[in-house]
Amino acid sequence: MTPETLARLDRAHLIHPVSSWRDQEEHGPRLLSSGQGAWLKDMHGHTLLDGFAGLWCVNVGYGQDSVVKAATEQMTKLPYATGYFGFASESAITLAARLAEVTPGDLNRVFFSQGGSDAVDSALRFIRFYQHARGTAGKRHVIGLARGYHGSTYTGAGLTALAAFHRDADVPLAWQHHIESPDPYRHPAGPDGEAIITASVASLRAKIAELGGPEHVAAFFCEPVQGSGGIVVPPRGWLTAMRESCREMDILFVTDEVITGFGRTGPLFACEHEGVVPDMMTVAKGLTSGYAPMGAVFMSEAVYSTIRDAAPPGVAIGHGQTYSAHPVSAAIGLAVLDLYQNGVLENGVKAGAHLATRLAGMKDHPLVGDVRSAGMLAGIELVTDKKNKTKPAASLGISKKMAKAGYEQGVLFRAFGDDIIGLAPPLTCSVEETDILCDRIEGVLNTLMDDKEIVAAIV
């Protein structure tokens, strides 16, 4: 089909995720046609450096022959195998076993989901099963972070703390709560890391007390680095302090590594930076590098055995999905894991260090209030008043202008609605490609300075 025909059909039929439906009908899609490495082409022949790895997920880059081969062979041999009724496939079992070897601590049990949102939803179900199994059904409340993102299923959207996912959706639910984000740039106690950690622990304890004490609180969820909330990198030691606080109060500590997992921040999992072992962990995105849908929930042996042992003999644990442990996705996951363990993680660390150096040089730009990064995950926060950290007025439309300028300059990134640039390039980027990415981001920032309204707003 021609691009024009596809655009017409898109406007008429395809509902895009987390989008303005009116804008989509008005402007139509940007039609991607091919990808190789860190580069994409659209159907108009425009070449783009993908600075966001699709949606934080194409960690190993586009066009990896070994991944395509693994998928093709599995589809030819066995394209589907149910996990129900005691059945399984070799690829799913092998992937679960290999992941158990590399996950932190005793996170040896894995439930495969279809993506990140339903991994979180599954984790919330398992938490309820666990609390009932141990005779503490009164522990119902779950606490997350302001600016946290934990998917867009009905229950996950309530644990998410972003307004777009709450509007007209009747969430958060009564048992879902949030405490302040550990953002060194905007936390009242910042930028001092120790002060933020102390304040965060106090906030968690205060929220638990408000809910009636630990006997009423089931779990605390957090991203080791907050993603969709604007790439918030907590101070070192924060994750450890929150984990220990949860342990002291007998509250499950759950890390959401849907974005940060599989090398995005350097090590295979971000909680490894501090040697933290959560009770449960959710992953997706980098698990298959976006080549096929798949997510997972890892749980400790203690959580798993408690649920298992409390179930009467022959009675099923009532949670599952048709595509859990899909053999093709699992085969892809195995091929992607091979790539991580054979050079991709090391390259991501090297490229991430260079990315941090280049970003530091952008701090002097008139619109840049803060830059932060963890490996190949970074954010650039724009302000119009650096001293007071004043966000640009919505009427300036900076996010849309950034996205347009990026496309014109051949770079894709996340233009958050609150004027933060999100970067998550493939871990396979060379230093040279990282330079191209940063050069083009600087070009986008300079393009904004050609806008008289934006310049006039700068203090």
Side-chain angles (χ1 to χ4, degrees):
M1 292 187 191
T2 66
E4 293 74 21
T5 298
L6 287 169
R8 176 177 58 79
L9 293 174
D10 178 276
R11 289 186 174 100
H13 302 293
L14 185 59
I15 299 174
H16 288 243
V18 192
S19 63
S20 164
W21 293 3
R22 291 179 185 273
D23 285 354
Q24 190 61 41
E25 287 185 26
E26 179 181 353
H27 299 293
R30 288 174 175 160
L31 295 161
L32 297 173
S33 59
S34 64
Q36 187 65 42
W39 297 87
L40 291 166
K41 284 187 178 180
D42 68 15
M43 293 191 72
H44 297 284
H46 197 49
T47 301
L48 302 155
L49 177 58
D50 187 356
F52 208 63
L55 193 68
W56 334 76
C57 57
V58 190
N59 292 2
V60 302
Y62 299 91
Q64 290 281 5
D65 290 338
S66 63
V67 180
V68 175
K69 180 181 177 182
T72 302
E73 290 179 352
Q74 184 63 52
M75 291 188 78
T76 301
K77 182 171 63 175
L78 182 67
Y80 175 78
T82 183
Y84 284 67
F85 323 124
F87 288 102
S89 67
E90 179 180 358
S91 59
I93 293 171
T94 305
L95 180 60
R98 284 190 59 188
L99 289 172
E101 293 176 355
V102 296
T103 47
D106 67 341
L107 295 175
N108 298 323
R109 304 290 183 161
V110 55
F111 172 83
F112 287 116
S113 63
Q114 297 162 65
S117 290
D118 60 305
V120 170
D121 198 74
S122 296
L124 290 167
R125 292 266 286 164
F126 294 140
I127 288 167
R128 290 307 305 144
F129 294 158
Y130 173 75
Q131 299 298 355
H132 277 277
R134 66 197 292 250
T136 54
K139 292 172 74 70
R140 302 187 60 84
H141 295 280
V142 177
I143 300 170
L145 294 172
R147 298 172 66 176
Y149 181 77
H150 302 288
S152 59
T153 61
Y154 186 58
T155 51
L159 190 56
T160 288
L162 300 173
F165 295 87
H166 294 174
R167 187 176 64 86
D168 297 337
D170 300 327
V171 294
L173 301 171
W175 48 271
Q176 296 174 322
H177 313 274
H178 303 92
I179 60 173
E180 194 155 29
S181 167
D183 179 2
Y185 184 59
R186 293 195 175 273
H187 195 287
D192 180 70
E194 288 301 320
I196 293 172
I197 292 168
T198 299
S200 292
V201 170
S203 293
L204 178 61
R205 291 183 179 274
K207 178 60 69 174
I208 291 168
E210 176 188 322
L211 297 172
E215 62 270 27
H216 296 287
V217 179
F220 172 70
F221 270 72
C222 68
E223 301 159 271
V225 176
Q226 292 187 281
S228 294
I231 325 292
V232 174
V233 183
R236 186 165 184 84
W238 179 88
L239 197 69
T240 298
M242 301 303 278
R243 202 279 174 265
E244 291 308 310
S245 295
C246 289
R247 194 193 311 275
E248 290 170 14
M249 293 182 285
D250 189 29
I251 294 167
L252 290 175
F253 183 76
V254 186
T255 55
D256 184 336
E257 296 228 24
V258 169
I259 289 172
T260 57
F262 299 98
R264 176 53 57 193
T265 71
L268 202 60
F269 302 103
C271 57
E272 294 180 54
H273 285 292
E274 297 187 24
V276 167
V277 179
D279 297 300
M280 300 176 71
M281 180 171 72
T282 56
V283 300
K285 297 190 185 294
L287 174 58
T288 59
S289 194
Y291 279 59
M294 193 176 222
V297 181
F298 294 96
M299 63 179 75
S300 69
E301 287 289 344
V303 172
Y304 173 83
S305 62
T306 298
I307 297 172
R308 177 198 64 199
D309 294 346
V315 174
I317 306 298
H319 184 70
Q321 297 150 349
T322 300
Y323 299 109
S324 294
H326 195 285
V328 177
S329 295
I332 288 170
L334 286 166
V336 168
L337 186 56
D338 285 340
L339 291 171
Y340 289 137
Q341 295 178 326
N342 289 281
V344 169
L345 290 184
E346 289 84 353
N347 189 79
V349 170
K350 179 181 178 181
H354 188 65
L355 176 63
T357 299
R358 285 296 310 268
L359 290 176
M362 298 184 195
K363 287 184 178 180
D364 293 333
H365 191 279
L367 279 170
V368 175
D370 188 43
V371 298
R372 54 258 187 174
S373 64
M376 292 291 266
L377 181 60
I380 305 169
E381 184 161 349
L382 306 190
V383 296
T384 49
D385 183 342
K386 293 195 179 193
K387 180 180 179 181
N388 295 309
K389 304 178 183 178
T390 306
K391 285 188 172 292
S395 60
L396 293 174
I398 284 183
S399 290
K400 287 186 177 181
K401 291 172 181 176
M402 285 195 297
K404 181 176 183 294
Y407 181 77
E408 291 171 350
Q409 297 199 29
V411 60
L412 295 180
F413 54 89
R414 179 79 172 266
F416 288 105
D418 58 352
D419 304 317
I420 295 172
I421 294 173
L423 298 173
L427 309 185
T428 53
C429 278
S430 65
V431 168
E432 292 74 19
E433 287 171 325
T434 305
D435 276 329
I436 294 170
L437 170 66
C438 292
D439 289 344
R440 294 184 181 185
I441 293 295
E442 287 179 339
V444 169
L445 292 172
N446 291 334
T447 297
L448 295 177
M449 297 300 293
D450 294 332
D451 188 305
K452 294 181 180 179
E453 290 185 353
I454 292 175
V455 171
I458 298 174
V459 175

